[in-house]
Amino acid sequence: MIVQASIAVVTAAAVSLVAWRLGALDRGGAIAATAVGAVVFGCGGLGAAVLLVFFFFSASGLSALPGARRERGRRGARQVLANGVVAAAAAALMAIDERAALAFLGALAAAAADTWATEIGVRSGATPRSILTLERRSPGTSGAVSIPGTLASAAGALAVGAAGAWLVAGGGLRTALVVALAGLAGSLLDSVLGAGLQAVYLCPDCGARPEVARHPGCRTQARRSSGVPGLDNDAVNGLATLAGAVIGLLVGSATSFM
């Protein structure tokens, strides 16, 4: 067990180091990714670790594509944990109950669905609309959806479902569809929370409406104008992955896909 844990930590650290050197993670993000990766590899096995790496590098690859309205920086610890901590917790439970594999896949599918939707949606040229009011929104706005983004969301969830059915859970096409459904549902919840409850700020100096109080390019701290205090984009992402995990576990267990 000690040898297996050591291999998991070293492997996760090596992958995180590569991501840091490539500019995908900052130092805190690399440390968080090492912790998440070590738990997933050590408890969930090689297949789960491969799937986690696939998610991370597909997300980073899409982020690096040209055409985004704003440049995205390195991912920090909060972003890594928001997308990976639920999956890591589910992987830790896989040694106790094999059904936890469905929760692991559902969480990862929700993270992939949300990331693919955002990265492809902002590059599609389509005008997104609020998922709650259908009012036009700027590309990249939390809670805004578009047809290309929604299709990308479904594709991301299905990619994790298909790969996960092969690498982690078994069950073939039916498992892949359950995971894809859980991931898409988690992504839609992300949009609903982003449109209705996520905190939005207004800067009295530059007039920007950022999602955080301390926003790039301005020294003035923005003031919250709407939404729940503390419910930022990372918190919403974490809740979306939790929803994906719960839906994947409940639906998969109820229909005996494992």
Side-chain angles (χ1 to χ4, degrees), residues 6 12 59 65 96 104 122 174 176 184 198 201 209 214-216 219-220 241 248:
S6 299
L65 291 176
I96 302 174
F104 169 77
V122 298
R174 292 181 296 179
L184 184 58
Q198 183 173 323
Y201 296 82
R209 299 183 66 87
R214 294 290 184 184
H215 53 295
R219 296 182 178 180
T220 304
T241 61

Side-chain angles (χ1 to χ4, degrees), residues 89-121:
L93 294 174
M94 286 170 60
I96 302 174
D97 190 336
E98 65 176 8
R99 291 176 298 177
L102 288 168
F104 169 77
L105 295 176
L108 211 56
D114 178 59
T115 303
W116 287 35
T118 300
E119 300 299 342
I120 294 177

Side-chain angles (χ1 to χ4, degrees), residues 219-239:
R219 296 182 178 180
T220 304
Q221 183 168 336
R223 301 171 182 171
R224 185 175 59 86
S225 59
S226 63
V228 178
L231 190 66
D232 60 7
N233 186 64
D234 292 330
V236 168
N237 287 344
L239 290 173

Side-chain angles (χ1 to χ4, degrees), residues 12-13 15-17 19-20 23-40 52-53 55-57 59-60 73-89 104 107-108 110-112 114-115 232-239 241-242:
V15 174
S16 299
L17 178 62
W20 175 63
L25 297 171
D26 64 15
R27 183 172 299 178
I31 294 173
T34 297
V36 170
V39 172
V40 170
L52 180 65
V53 171
F55 157 69
F56 175 74
F57 281 103
S60 298
R74 295 169 178 253
R75 287 178 168 83
R78 280 177 57 85
Q79 291 172 294
V80 171
L81 294 175
N83 286 288
V85 72
V86 174
F104 169 77
L108 211 56
D114 178 59
T115 303
D232 60 7
N233 186 64
D234 292 330
V236 168
N237 287 344
L239 290 173
T241 61
L242 179 61

